């Protein structure tokens, strides 16, 4: 790898170990084995480097999750069964990527001061809504964009809420079957 790639890898490591706000330029230089001057040369600022590291980590998580979920449910599964299986796969990623999730919640509190991060998260939110509508309800956003927006927003809100609960107390995080049961109970 070159210095740019080393800096990006070091920044991602720091992001996962220390979080966004607590990572310093010196931390990144140390983790990457590249001088402090390299940050300015390749990225112009520590913040620009951290943003790129965050965006790359989030893209990697999205690709990993898509690969994990692809084909994970039998084709003739009921919508609730599809939901249960997919939910369990998503929750499995919570533990593995806990630092990334914590970082995203950390950034939400600072979002008014980070316009580039806000823009990226908003774009991700829109894409996630469409993806969640397709994943959990089999809705094609291209064919029915309004239904995908509404249903995907509900799943996004549920996911964010359950994720925040899981970050606080993973031992009581609901499994897919429990969430499906809660949905059945709430709608009867």
């Amino acid at each position: 790898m070159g210095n740019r790639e080393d800096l990006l890898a070091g920044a991602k490591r720091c992001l996962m170990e220390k979080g966004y706000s607590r990572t310093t330029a010196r931390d990144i230089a140390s983790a990457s084995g590249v001088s402090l001057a390299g940050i300015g040369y390749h990225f112009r600022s520590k913040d620009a480097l951290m943003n790129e590291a965050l965006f790359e980590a989030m893209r990697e998580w999205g690709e990993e999750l898509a690969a994990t979920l692809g084909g994970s449910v039998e084709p003739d599964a009921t919508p609730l069964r599809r939901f249960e299986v997919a939910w369990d796969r998503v929750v499995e990623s919570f533990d593995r990527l806990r630092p990334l999730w914590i970082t995203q919640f950390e950034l939400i509190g600072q979002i008014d001061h980070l316009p580039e991060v806000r823009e990226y998260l908003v774009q991700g939110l829109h894409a996630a809504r469409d993806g969640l509508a397709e994943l959990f309800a089999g809705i094609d956003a291209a064919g029915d964009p309004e239904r995908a927006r509404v249903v995907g927003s509900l799943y996004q809100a549920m996911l964010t809420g359950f994720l925040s609960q899981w970050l606080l107390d993973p031992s009581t995080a609901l499994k897919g079957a429990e969430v499906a049961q809660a949905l059945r109970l709430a709608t009867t």
Side-chain angles (χ1 to χ4, degrees):
M1 285 196 303
N3 285 348
R4 187 177 202 294
E5 294 80 15
D6 290 341
L7 284 165
L8 193 54
K12 284 188 342 192
R13 210 167 25 259
C14 289
L15 184 67
M16 298 301 265
E17 292 171 5
K18 299 186 82 166
Y20 188 94
S21 298
R22 290 176 306 284
T23 296
T24 66
R26 288 191 190 285
D27 293 331
I28 297 168
S30 177
S32 66
V34 178
S35 71
L36 282 170
I39 294 172
Y41 178 78
H42 290 287
F43 295 93
R44 293 190 313 274
S45 71
K46 188 248 332 174
D47 290 342
L49 170 54
M50 288 299 291
N51 289 349
E52 190 162 333
L54 173 67
F55 302 158
E56 187 171 303
M58 291 170 62
R59 273 191 303 274
E60 289 170 357
W61 172 78
E63 291 167 4
E64 175 188 321
L65 188 60
T68 300
L69 293 172
S72 63
V73 182
E74 51 278 3
D76 59 340
T78 66
L80 276 178
R81 177 66 186 144
R82 183 182 315 120
F83 178 86
E84 290 174 21
V85 172
W87 190 269
D88 285 339
R89 295 289 192 320
V90 171
V91 170
E92 288 168 10
S93 82
F94 290 177
D95 189 41
R96 199 173 50 263
L97 297 171
R98 182 179 177 86
L100 180 60
W101 291 113
I102 289 172
T103 295
Q104 288 186 50
F105 275 84
E106 170 190 356
L107 291 172
I108 288 171
Q110 302 174 38
I111 208 69
D112 288 341
H113 308 290
L114 302 166
E116 184 179 341
V117 173
R118 178 191 197 104
E119 183 180 324
Y120 188 85
L121 291 177
V122 167
Q123 290 172 4
L125 181 68
H126 293 198
R129 280 195 308 234
D130 290 347
L132 291 169
E134 184 174 351
L135 173 67
F136 291 125
I139 300 169
D140 175 23
D144 195 347
E146 181 59 14
R147 185 169 176 232
R149 183 188 70 80
V150 171
V151 172
S153 293
L154 172 65
Y155 286 123
Q156 183 71 45
M158 287 175 45
L159 183 65
T160 304
F162 280 109
L163 174 59
S164 65
Q165 292 176 29
W166 182 89
L167 287 171
L168 292 170
D169 186 10
S171 66
T172 61
L174 297 180
K175 304 283 187 250
E178 294 169 313
V179 178
Q181 177 186 12
L183 288 171
R184 280 192 297 273
L185 292 171
T187 58
T188 57

